[in-house]
Amino acid sequence: VLVKPLEDEQISAFAARYLPEDMVDSFLARIFPKWSWKEHRSLIHLARNPYMLTALLTVYEHQGNLPTNTGALFHTLAQVLWERERLRNTPGWIAFAEMRERFGQLAFDMIDADQPLDIPLNYALERIKDEGLLKAGASAGFIRLNQDSVRFSHQLMLEYFAAWGLQHVGVEACIRPPEISWRGREAQKWDEVVVALCGIVDDASDLISQIAEVDLFLATDCIGSGIEVSADCQAPIIARLIQALQDEEGRVRETAAEAIEKIGDAQILASLIIQTNQEKIPLLVQALSNEYEVQQVAIAILIEIGKLAVPHLIQALQDKHWRVREAAAEALGQIGDAQAMTHLMQALQDKDSDVRRVAAWALVKIGKPAVPHLMQTLKDEHSDVRSAAAWTLGRIGDAQAVPHLIQALKDEERDVRRAAAWALGEIGDAQAVPHLMQALKDEYSSVHRAAAKALKKIRTDG
């Protein structure tokens, strides 16, 4: 009998029959890889085996989710699979704790000695010490037995069992300081085993602190794998990563920014910084001068920090680097704090057009007090700045801007005319109608389409 792997459609149908309707989509989202280059580490290969798919469905149905940390997931999966072997009275079955120790020793030795995925049967027996247990492990789906060789059924299964062996040895004995290249942090052979270990220990906080002492970036991978970690553990790691945003090596700065994003979303990070590391806020502002990836991470966190960051961002509007001034204006606009209003309006006069453009966008949350300054900005020498001012005036929606926007319908740049037409439609003042009618004759389709939509909006609202 030849049993072929399940196709995607069969897996979906199987899940639909097994799970309640409201759980199916979320389960399949965890099974199918989002990116093809990650498929070798996804759960799809397990799910193609009906026995393994049933086990995954059982875990999901009872827990309501599949843990993102591979150690936590495979610990539950291994327990489910091994319990089924007990119920089957499989020869060679022993207690779970003893079984995992023996398979853990095998997996650890394979990785430690850089063994290939397929190992000689004798090599496995030396470590398992029981042919019956080896066969029981194959029956449970942990390994695949061939005539004279053995291999773990999945790379993630190998790493899960190796984590138990690593726990006895200690992570400090196996990991080493990170090596940063043009690709970022170079992967090491124990990385995924360490991540899995963090998912099976009772409290990962102490373990992650130990890892961070050797490899800060591996520690963030562990945190980002979906495990519970205390704020006391995360705070010093975040502080060191923010410090690394100032490193003299650009790739180190970018790797630190990537690591910060792995820990959690900007709101979580901001909360931790507010609670424990407010002195790091100026370092985040300094990071605005760095690479785009670094800058965007810093902006996102500063926005979530909110009012505490405002004084530092206001000061950054005077920075010698235009990119810092531009980023500071963007962050202040998102925060929308009133004390920044005067400074953002002053930024409309910045010597750099990109700063003026972002400042014009940023004033939308300030609202009506900014309108006179934005109307003046409709005369800026750069069309991008004029466009931004028109869009912002439309979003604010103050009728006093209508005459100035009507004038902007005659701007030499089509993007400005299009923005002015849209803004007039948003404000909805009838005095703009004849001018928008004239704009229907504009030589550019983007402009006359915007004018047509504006007229329809004015007439509908009126």
Side-chain angles (χ1 to χ4, degrees):
V1 176
L2 177 63
V3 181
K4 294 183 178 180
L6 294 173
E7 300 291 339
D8 290 358
E9 295 78 9
Q10 293 173 307
I11 293 171
S12 298
F14 197 120
R17 290 182 175 90
Y18 191 100
L19 292 172
E21 184 177 353
D22 61 346
M23 298 180 75
V24 175
D25 289 344
S26 54
F27 173 79
L28 294 175
R30 279 284 284 120
I31 295 298
F32 294 114
K34 293 181 180 179
W35 307 105
S36 59
W37 57 270
K38 286 186 176 180
E39 184 164 339
H40 74 288
R41 294 196 55 79
S42 76
L43 300 177
I44 186 62
H45 299 297
L46 285 178
R48 296 203 188 285
N49 180 307
Y51 180 44
M52 287 292 195
L53 176 57
T54 303
L56 288 167
L57 287 164
T58 301
V59 171
Y60 191 80
E61 185 179 32
H62 284 85
Q63 293 196 347
N65 71 336
L66 292 176
T68 54
N69 179 278
T70 55
L73 170 60
F74 276 77
H75 184 53
T76 304
L77 182 60
Q79 289 176 313
V80 169
L81 295 171
W82 199 238
E83 175 61 14
R84 289 186 177 183
E85 297 310 307
R86 184 187 71 80
L87 296 174
R88 288 174 171 181
N89 294 316
T90 300
W93 188 94
I94 60 176
F96 181 81
E98 185 179 356
M99 177 278 295
R100 77 186 182 199
E101 293 300 317
R102 295 201 199 176
F103 278 97
Q105 187 63 56
L106 171 62
F108 178 87
D109 288 351
M110 287 176 62
I111 294 177
D112 191 45
D114 296 315
Q115 291 285 343
L117 292 176
D118 289 282
I119 54 173
L121 181 60
N122 288 339
Y123 182 93
L125 279 172
E126 287 175 5
R127 286 147 182 86
I128 299 297
K129 304 183 185 305
D130 184 340
E131 186 174 357
L133 177 58
L134 203 61
K135 291 179 179 179
S139 179
F142 300 154
I143 58 173
R144 296 172 187 163
L145 274 177
N146 297 315
Q147 187 172 1
D148 55 1
S149 66
V150 176
R151 73 180 295 158
F152 277 87
S153 59
H154 195 285
Q155 179 70 20
L156 300 177
M157 189 72 80
L158 168 67
E159 292 161 358
Y160 160 71
F161 278 110
W164 290 106
L166 179 62
Q167 185 179 33
H168 296 305
V169 175
V171 293
E172 300 96 328
C174 295
I175 63 176
R176 62 179 188 270
E179 296 177 8
I180 307 296
S181 71
W182 63 272
R183 292 184 294 263
R185 177 188 175 276
E186 293 289 344
Q188 301 179 21
K189 68 178 182 180
W190 291 107
D191 286 357
E192 300 301 335
V193 181
V194 171
V195 172
L197 178 59
C198 288
I200 60 179
V201 297
D202 292 334
D203 183 0
S205 294
D206 289 341
L207 176 59
I208 288 177
S209 295
Q210 294 172 26
I211 297 166
E213 289 299 315
V214 181
D215 188 338
L216 180 64
F217 303 116
L218 178 56
T220 61
D221 284 343
C222 294
I223 295 173
S225 71
I227 57 176
E228 292 292 330
V229 185
S230 69
D232 289 341
C233 169
Q234 293 187 65
I237 292 174
I238 293 171
R240 288 175 59 192
L241 288 171
I242 292 173
Q243 190 69 48
L245 295 178
Q246 316 301 319
D247 194 274
E248 60 183 15
E249 293 292 334
R251 201 60 192 97
V252 174
R253 297 194 297 268
E254 291 175 354
T255 303
E258 292 165 3
I260 287 172
E261 290 184 304
K262 290 176 183 177
I263 290 179
D265 61 32
Q267 188 174 21
I268 293 172
L269 293 166
S271 177
L272 283 166
I273 291 168
I274 291 169
Q275 292 175 30
T276 59
N277 283 296
Q278 291 187 28
E279 71 276 6
K280 297 300 179 183
I281 296 175
L283 290 181
L284 284 169
V285 176
Q286 291 176 30
L288 298 178
S289 64
N290 291 326
E291 296 79 5
Y292 178 79
E293 294 81 2
V294 178
Q295 184 191 72
Q296 292 306 300
V297 168
I299 288 174
I301 298 173
L302 287 165
I303 289 170
E304 293 297 336
I305 289 173
K307 289 188 176 183
L308 287 174
V310 168
H312 304 282
L313 290 167
I314 288 173
Q315 187 175 359
L317 286 175
Q318 307 302 320
D319 195 275
K320 63 181 180 179
H321 297 293
W322 68 269
R323 292 184 70 250
V324 175
R325 301 196 303 275
E326 178 189 39
E330 178 183 345
L332 286 169
Q334 291 291 325
I335 293 170
D337 190 80
Q339 64 176 305
M341 178 180 69
T342 302
H343 304 278
L344 283 172
M345 290 190 292
Q346 290 173 351
L348 292 174
Q349 308 299 321
D350 194 277
K351 61 183 178 182
D352 188 276
S353 63
D354 285 321
V355 178
R356 299 198 300 275
R357 172 181 53 81
V358 173
W361 282 110
L363 283 166
V364 68
K365 286 191 176 182
I366 301 301
K368 291 187 177 182
V371 168
H373 301 270
L374 290 165
M375 292 190 301
Q376 189 65 31
T377 305
L378 288 172
K379 301 175 183 178
D380 193 276
E381 62 180 321
H382 280 265
S383 62
D384 287 349
V385 181
R386 300 196 299 274
S387 294
W391 287 107
T392 302
L393 285 167
R395 291 177 68 190
I396 293 172
D398 192 323
Q400 66 175 307
V402 168
H404 298 268
L405 289 167
I406 288 173
Q407 188 64 34
L409 284 175
K410 302 173 184 177
D411 194 277
E412 62 184 12
E413 293 292 336
R414 61 178 170 180
D415 286 343
V416 180
R417 300 197 299 275
R418 178 169 66 94
W422 174 86
L424 287 167
E426 292 300 300
I427 294 171
D429 194 305
Q431 66 175 302
V433 168
H435 305 280
L436 288 168
M437 293 287 290
Q438 188 67 29
L440 292 174
K441 302 175 185 177
D442 196 280
E443 62 179 312
Y444 290 100
S445 60
S446 62
V447 178
H448 60 67
R449 280 201 304 268
K453 289 180 181 179
L455 284 166
K456 183 177 180 181
K457 187 173 180 62
I458 291 172
R459 287 167 180 166
T460 301
D461 294 347

